Amino acid sequence: MHLGSISFDPSKPDAASVLQSSAHALPSCEAVLGLQPGVLLKALCKRKLKVVKEWVEQDLSVASANDNRDALSKAIYSRLFDRVIAQINTALAAESSADGDVTPRTIGIVDIFGFEVFVNNSLEQLCINFANEKLQALFTRAVFKETIEAYKQDGIDAAEITFTDNAELLKLIEAPQTGVLSILSEECLVPKGSDGAFCEKERAREGV
């Protein structure tokens, strides 16, 4: 975050230098990374070239300095992420061994986004959206519905807990005989089935 706060002076496009307004981020970055003062500034704004047998420093352009900063940020984030994952894996493996559990423990991450709408939506996109909504329903049941039910059993007022239930949306897609997938499957089995006929059945169901 400190690194991303560093900006370069646009008035010197061919010789990058850090803007005074963002210079405070440099020592913060160097402290976190364990660098000596001035090392990061030089690394961001200059490059070394070997001329014959000697190394010489050359100023970087503002564009190159920006690329330098962004590349360093991405590299740090990537290595930090890998380090965190390695530490988690080590901790989970140690806990499993201590408990005598031969099944490795895992942490699952669910990315619940919901519907995406494009100019042209394919069957593949419908299936992706449907899977996302099923995950959302699972999340809703686990986090909200079961929590509210537990509160009621304990005599706790849960009226303030509100959420959006997507049950009607799922019914629209997966309901037997009347759902989108059911009507689509039926149209695929009908002789001379067509996109137009499928759309007409959907319009009729919706009363359009």
Side-chain angles (χ1 to χ4, degrees):
M1 292 179 67
H2 291 308
L3 196 57
S5 298
I6 296 174
S7 300
F8 302 96
D9 190 347
S11 66
K12 302 174 182 177
D14 297 322
S17 61
V18 175
L19 281 172
Q20 281 300 115
S21 58
S22 66
H24 65 278
L26 279 169
S28 300
C29 288
E30 290 170 336
V32 172
L33 296 173
L35 300 175
Q36 294 294 322
V39 171
L40 183 59
L41 176 62
K42 185 178 289 186
L44 292 176
C45 297
K46 297 182 182 297
R47 66 173 176 171
K48 282 187 174 182
L49 297 174
K50 191 172 185 180
V51 180
V52 189
K53 294 183 180 181
E54 295 184 357
W55 288 94
V56 296
E57 289 185 350
Q58 186 179 53
D59 291 330
L60 288 176
S61 66
V62 169
S64 295
N66 279 321
D67 290 341
N68 248 5
R69 177 201 59 209
D70 295 344
L72 180 58
S73 297
K74 291 176 183 177
I76 291 173
Y77 178 84
S78 177
R79 293 192 181 189
L80 180 60
F81 183 82
D82 290 343
R83 174 67 174 172
V84 170
I85 295 300
Q87 291 291 96
I88 291 173
N89 289 339
T90 300
L92 290 176
E95 289 180 9
S96 296
S97 298
D99 296 339
D101 187 0
V102 295
T103 304
R105 297 182 179 180
T106 60
I107 296 177
I109 300 176
V110 179
D111 179 17
I112 301 173
F113 188 82
F115 267 76
E116 293 182 279
V117 180
F118 300 103
V119 176
N120 297 308
N121 295 278
S122 64
L123 175 61
E124 179 185 16
Q125 188 58 47
L126 173 63
C127 292
I128 292 171
N129 289 340
F130 178 52
N132 281 333
E133 291 300 329
K134 291 289 281 187
L135 288 172
Q136 179 66 54
L138 176 64
F139 177 81
T140 299
R141 185 174 70 249
V143 175
F144 294 107
K145 292 183 178 179
E146 292 180 4
T147 300
I148 291 174
E149 185 60 32
Y151 279 6
K152 288 181 179 178
Q153 291 177 3
D154 293 337
I156 301 173
D157 183 12
E160 293 184 2
I161 301 178
T162 59
F163 60 91
T164 301
D165 194 344
N166 65 346
E168 287 299 315
L169 183 56
L170 290 176
K171 182 180 177 182
L172 176 70
I173 298 174
E174 66 178 351
Q177 300 181 343
T178 60
V180 172
L181 294 179
S182 179
I183 294 174
L184 180 60
S185 297
E186 178 185 304
E187 189 61 28
C188 290
L189 297 174
V190 171
K192 297 183 180 180
S194 66
D195 295 347
F198 168 68
C199 290
E200 285 301 321
K201 290 178 180 178
E202 280 296 323
R203 292 193 185 98
R205 183 191 66 168
E206 297 298 322
V208 178

